[in-house]
């Protein structure tokens, strides 16, 4: 009987301890409180615990980036701003803070100019987050189907005609929203990118430390990963320059 009683107590109480330990909302609130008190190191640790518990969101990434920015650690600040941007690419505050952090790193690399139509299209499909677009898609499709049902059962022509055209337009907007979500996800996940974390990195002509050094990049620089070769990766800079760096010199976004 005693064994049953203790087992019952453990069964009831254990989840409470687990919830208290791994409560992402409580940890996030704790981090925000520490940040407000200028305890940036402690805040960063709290936000990191939230991520370690498997809870990932633009807000956590953004606040963690802010904590590192306040500590003057630009490489992790840029890393987490970039992670936040991938979740909500249309957020102006994330974009602004990312620009400010990039102004504080050594490398000021100009991107290859884009054709204006490509640039316009990219701005268009990145304007809203995937979550917002998914909400739009569901709302448009439900309203569209509802109006088509009204069209089918309405008797008056004055109701049937506008219901039909409005329903078709809303269904088209819903499908467009789904297409944009798909395009956005494809664009954001089409290539692997990373942030340089070593102070100074020699970019080599091949995946070997004995290869010729082509150029040097510094902490905080974003690179696109083109190829993996054991402990080396082939990277491309925004200006189109390509070379090899050691895997340990970067952290993937």
């Amino acid at each position: 009987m005693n064994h049953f009683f203790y087992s019952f107590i453990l069964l009831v109480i254990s989840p409470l301890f687990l919830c208290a330990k791994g409560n992402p909302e409580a940890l996030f609130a704790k981090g925000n409180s520490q940040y407000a008190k200028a305890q940036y190191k402690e805040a960063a640790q709290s936000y990191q615990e939230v991520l370690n518990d498997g809870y990932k969101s633009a807000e956590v990434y953004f606040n963690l980036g802010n904590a590192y920015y306040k500590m003057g650690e630009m490489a992790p600040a840029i890393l987490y701003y970039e992670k936040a941007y991938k979740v909500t690419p249309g957020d102006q505050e994330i974009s602004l803070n990312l620009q400010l952090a990039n102004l504080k790193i050594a490398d000021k690399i100009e991107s290859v100019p884009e054709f204006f139509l490509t640039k316009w299209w990219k701005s268009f499909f990145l304007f809203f987050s995937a979550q917002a677009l998914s909400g739009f898609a569901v709302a448009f499709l439900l309203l569209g189907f509802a109006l088509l049902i009204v069209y089918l059962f309405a008797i008056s022509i004055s109701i049937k005609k506008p219901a039909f055209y409005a329903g078709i337009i809303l269904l088209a907007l819903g499908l467009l929203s789904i297409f944009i979500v798909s395009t956005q996800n494809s664009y954001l996940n089409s290539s692997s990118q990373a942030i340089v974390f070593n102070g100074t990195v020699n970019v080599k002509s091949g995946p070997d430390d004995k290869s010729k050094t082509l150029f040097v990049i510094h902490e905080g620089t974003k690179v696109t990963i083109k190829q993996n070769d054991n402990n080396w990766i082939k990277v491309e800079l925004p200006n189109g320059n390509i070379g090899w760096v050691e895997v340990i010199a970067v952290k993937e976004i």
Side-chain angles (χ1 to χ4, degrees):
M1 189 70 181
N2 286 337
H3 177 73
F4 173 79
F5 175 76
Y6 289 127
S7 297
F8 176 76
I9 293 295
L10 286 172
L11 186 64
V12 172
I13 299 217
S14 294
L16 298 177
F17 281 112
L18 289 173
C19 289
K21 181 181 179 181
N23 188 333
E25 290 81 6
L27 284 171
F28 186 64
K30 179 183 176 183
N32 291 342
S33 176
Q34 291 165 329
Y35 185 92
K37 297 174 184 175
Q39 298 171 348
Y40 303 121
K41 185 176 180 179
E42 292 79 4
Q45 291 172 346
S46 295
Y47 296 137
Q48 191 63 62
E49 284 184 52
V50 176
L51 296 177
N52 292 342
D53 283 343
Y55 184 85
K56 296 175 173 61
S57 72
E59 291 79 9
V60 179
Y61 287 138
F62 181 65
N63 286 12
L64 183 53
N66 285 339
Y68 279 116
Y69 184 90
K70 289 292 187 179
M71 289 188 284
E73 299 182 30
M74 291 304 116
I78 292 171
L79 175 68
Y80 288 107
Y81 285 150
E82 290 283 358
K83 285 179 178 287
Y85 178 80
K86 288 188 75 172
V87 179
T88 55
D91 192 297
Q92 295 300 313
E93 192 173 5
I94 293 173
S95 297
L96 176 60
N97 283 26
L98 184 55
Q99 291 174 23
L100 291 174
N102 278 312
L103 289 174
K104 293 181 176 292
I105 63 175
D107 297 329
K108 306 294 189 295
I109 302 172
E110 294 290 333
S111 300
V112 176
E114 290 182 312
F115 184 53
F116 77 96
L117 286 177
T118 304
K119 189 175 182 179
W120 175 86
W121 171 240
K122 188 188 297 184
S123 299
F124 173 72
F125 70 74
L126 291 177
F127 187 78
F128 292 104
S129 68
Q131 184 177 2
L133 288 168
S134 298
F136 292 152
V138 171
F140 287 143
L141 291 174
L142 288 176
L143 287 172
F145 283 121
L147 286 171
L148 289 181
I149 291 172
V150 171
Y151 161 76
L152 290 173
F153 291 97
I155 298 174
S156 173
I157 295 296
S158 60
I159 295 176
K160 287 176 73 74
K161 191 173 181 179
F164 175 78
Y165 286 113
I168 294 298
I169 291 171
L170 287 171
L171 288 177
L173 289 173
L175 294 174
L176 177 62
S177 299
I178 293 172
F179 171 73
I180 294 173
V181 170
S182 176
T183 303
Q184 186 183 105
N185 288 334
S186 177
Y187 171 77
L188 293 173
N189 299 302
S190 60
S191 61
S192 297
Q193 295 178 312
I195 304 299
V196 175
F197 264 66
N198 286 11
T200 302
V201 177
N202 294 322
V203 183
K204 300 288 185 175
S205 59
D208 191 317
D209 196 45
K210 296 179 181 178
S211 298
K212 178 184 177 182
T213 298
L214 300 176
F215 50 91
V216 176
I217 54 178
H218 302 86
E219 183 180 8
T221 300
K222 183 169 76 169
V223 297
T224 299
I225 300 172
K226 309 296 288 186
Q227 184 180 338
N228 286 277
D229 189 343
N230 295 324
N231 296 325
W232 291 78
I233 54 173
K234 188 177 185 180
V235 300
E236 182 179 6
L237 271 62
N239 61 8
N241 288 344
I242 294 176
W244 292 83
V245 300
E246 291 184 278
V247 172
I248 58 173
V250 302
K251 287 191 179 181
E252 195 168 343
I253 296 171

